[in-house]
Amino acid sequence: MRSVRAEEFREFATGRAAQLFRSACLLTSGDTHLAEDLVQETLGRMYALWGRVSRIDNPAGYAQTVLVRAFLTHRRRRSATERPLGELPDRAAATGEDPALRVALLDALGQLSPKDRAVIVLRYWEDRSIEETADAMNVSSAAVRTRSVRALAKLRERLGDSLAEYASH
């Protein structure tokens, strides 16, 4: 029985790790090292709960919730204010991607507060409802609506006309 559960978790982790990593990269504004740490923490927590996860309707959604909560917890720690220096890693962009747009968006996301960033990622990257976002962040639906409006306004202010410039490429 234990080996069956371990194999089920291995399949789940293999199938969800890439999506969790992409979400974590957005939450961390491109800090791939922190994103990897958050994914590992998320998968570790999921493994510890795996016997009970079978009672959860949507384990993938639950993993996203665990990821967001791990991110928010990390941001509250005193050590979270340490910022590594350096450039984003050089990698080839996938076909159709604009590296300048990606860097501009990551930079703009990085200037938002952690909770605003979490709302934007959950609502617009993960395409979650207001209620799902509120549940993942452990806040009210009204707080999610307010943060969404304010965070989008901040992004528009920071990106301004440059977003239209990037979109035209």
Side-chain angles (χ1 to χ4, degrees):
M1 181 71 169
R2 187 176 219 168
S3 65
V4 170
R5 272 196 259 169
E7 184 58 35
E8 287 174 350
F9 177 77
R10 189 174 298 113
E11 288 176 22
F12 170 81
T14 302
R16 294 300 303 165
Q19 178 63 33
L20 288 170
F21 181 71
R22 285 189 296 273
S23 295
C25 282
L26 288 170
L27 288 169
T28 62
S29 299
D31 183 344
T32 57
H33 299 290
L34 177 56
E36 289 171 351
D37 291 346
L38 290 172
V39 170
Q40 287 301 315
E41 185 174 339
T42 298
L43 291 176
R45 289 181 185 179
M46 291 296 293
Y47 183 76
L49 297 170
W50 193 249
R52 293 178 277 174
V53 168
S54 62
R55 289 179 273 174
I56 297 172
D57 290 334
N58 183 1
Y62 187 73
Q64 289 295 133
T65 298
V66 171
L67 175 71
V68 170
R69 290 183 180 169
F71 166 72
L72 292 173
T73 299
H74 171 78
R75 295 302 302 171
R76 283 191 287 268
R77 292 183 193 135
R78 182 177 301 269
S79 64
T81 59
E82 297 174 5
R83 302 298 281 164
L85 299 175
E87 302 285 325
L88 288 173
D90 290 331
R91 7 178 202 180
T95 306
E97 286 188 12
D98 183 358
L101 175 61
R102 181 184 179 101
V103 169
L105 288 173
L106 286 174
D107 184 51
L109 277 172
Q111 294 176 25
L112 295 176
S113 73
K115 287 185 179 182
D116 285 349
R117 196 174 325 146
V119 166
I120 294 296
V121 169
L122 288 171
R123 288 281 294 131
Y124 303 103
W125 173 259
E126 295 293 327
D127 198 27
R128 289 191 181 200
S129 70
I130 290 172
E131 292 75 24
E132 291 170 330
T133 302
D135 185 49
M137 294 182 62
N138 222 10
V139 298
S140 70
S141 296
V144 169
R145 284 187 201 94
T146 301
R147 281 198 180 275
S148 293
V149 169
R150 290 179 183 165
L152 286 173
K154 288 176 187 175
L155 282 176
R156 286 185 188 108
E157 179 182 307
R158 289 188 174 111
L159 292 172
D161 294 332
S162 66
L163 186 58
E165 171 189 321
Y166 290 120
S168 66
H169 287 125

